Amino acid sequence: MFKYVFGPVPSRRFGKSLGVNVVPLKYCNWNCVYCQLGRTNHFINSTVDFFNYEEIEEEIKIATKMYDYDYLTFIGDGEPTLYKDLGILIKWSKENQPKKVAVFTNGARLKMEEIRSYMSYADVVKVSNDAGDEKTFRIVDRPYRDIHFDDFMEGLKQFRKEFNGEIWSEVMLVKGVNDKEEELENIGRSLKAYSPDKVHIMVPTRPPAEPWATAPDSQKILEAGKILSKYVNNVYIIDYIERGEFYVDKDNPVNGILNILKIQPMTEEEIKDISFKYNVNIDNIKEKAREVVFNGIKYYVY
Ligand code: SF4
């Protein structure tokens, strides 16, 4: 039934997150080595009128009455700020549903006044801060050619000055790429420059775009936590696959499960659980989804 809304899904940081997907698959201005959606094959950095925002509003209206959720979360199969009408939807959601609104962005377009202006209606803006200099930025996030680290930082600093809500930064650690002491000191300095409210150190736990983009060992992750904590408060480590209950529309559970798989690969065990819960023949999911093995665990993606 739903085309844009999915979940609620258990989120590491947002509790029960009712997701709204506003970007088609892999339209992005970065091409992160760890992206669980695969490599970026629509590499753009300008806004596109992907969808009719009124259709999305209609779905949000229905879904927010159907489900119990903690956050309404705007996210994409790519970078949400590339959607022309994201601002309309954020403002509308603040006025027309009762829960907090979060936006997941890489943060690269916050240097634009127009983007900062509509983002300021959100309660939480989650940004990615995987590097502390241009060189590492280009290795781990592989941004569009016109996006540079200094501009990215300027956008974050300006947004911090203007935004009354919370900025949560995500630092995705990739083994051998941004986990060395010097890199982490640089990342710490870059975080300090705009003082996010929370910092989440994460590692690839689901299949990444590049198979070599794996998690550092636990000792390195702990060291990373200590180094970043010298620069900013509220540093949390999330280095596990989160478990929790997924929810989908019970009138069309196959479609609901596939909508989640577009955004988040699920393990075989998770697919079994949700298929059992909604009385779905698991083969209907498996024949549409693609199988990927990562860290010895089998996942399904769509
Ligand atoms: S992780 Fe986010 S920013 Fe990076 S390529 Fe994937 S969708 Fe784009």
Side-chain angles (χ1 to χ4, degrees), residues 136-290:
T136 309
F137 186 46
R138 302 216 87 76
I139 294 172
V140 67
D141 298 320
R142 303 189 296 197
Y144 191 78
R145 61 182 176 273
D146 293 345
I147 299 174
H148 296 284
F149 183 73
D150 288 349
D151 294 334
F152 167 63
M153 287 307 300
E154 277 314 307
L156 290 171
K157 286 192 254 179
Q158 194 55 38
F159 188 53
R160 175 72 294 173
K161 282 187 206 153
E162 298 166 5
F163 182 46
N164 293 323
E166 296 201 3
I167 301 177
W168 294 3
S169 297
E170 180 176 294
V171 179
M172 183 68 81
L173 287 186
V174 180
K175 186 176 181 175
V177 176
N178 60 352
D179 62 343
K180 295 183 207 76
E181 191 179 334
E182 188 192 330
E183 310 281 356
L184 291 162
E185 297 281 353
N186 285 341
I187 293 172
R189 278 187 278 274
S190 68
L191 290 165
K192 189 178 177 186
Y194 63 95
S195 299
D197 298 275
K198 291 184 186 174
V199 174
H200 296 100
I201 296 177
M202 310 192 53
V203 296
T205 52
R206 296 185 188 259
E210 307 299 342
W212 50 263
T214 53
D217 61 40
S218 344
Q219 190 55 35
K220 279 257 185 215
I221 299 169
L222 280 178
E223 278 166 24
K226 282 189 201 150
I227 293 174
L228 298 191
S229 297
K230 291 195 303 188
Y231 295 94
V232 281
N233 296 322
N234 300 322
V235 176
Y236 304 90
I237 293 175
I238 303 179
D239 60 349
Y240 50 84
I241 301 177
E242 68 192 333
R243 305 269 174 214
E245 227 178 330
F246 292 88
Y247 300 85
V248 295
D249 174 12
K250 54 183 181 317
D251 292 334
N252 193 345
V254 173
N255 181 58
I257 296 169
L258 293 174
N259 277 347
I260 294 175
L261 292 182
K262 275 188 192 168
I263 293 277
Q264 178 173 318
M266 287 162 90
T267 61
E268 180 148 43
E269 191 189 328
E270 286 166 337
I271 299 259
K272 267 187 200 152
D273 287 350
I274 197 166
S275 299
F276 178 74
K277 180 172 162 191
Y278 288 96
N279 201 17
V280 166
N281 179 347
I282 194 168
D283 293 336
N284 290 343
I285 307 293
K286 286 187 171 176
E287 69 194 20
K288 293 195 173 79
R290 189 163 50 88

Side-chain angles (χ1 to χ4, degrees), residues 7-43:
V9 295
S11 159
R12 301 176 192 193
R13 292 154 288 179
F14 295 91
K16 276 184 236 155
S17 165
L18 186 62
V20 188
N21 181 0
V22 294
V23 180
L25 187 60
K26 287 302 337 220
Y27 279 78
C28 197
N29 50 3
W30 288 9
N31 182 18
C32 305
V33 297
Y34 57 78
C35 184
Q36 62 183 25
L37 302 168
R39 289 186 190 149
T40 299
N41 48 13
H42 300 281
F43 208 18

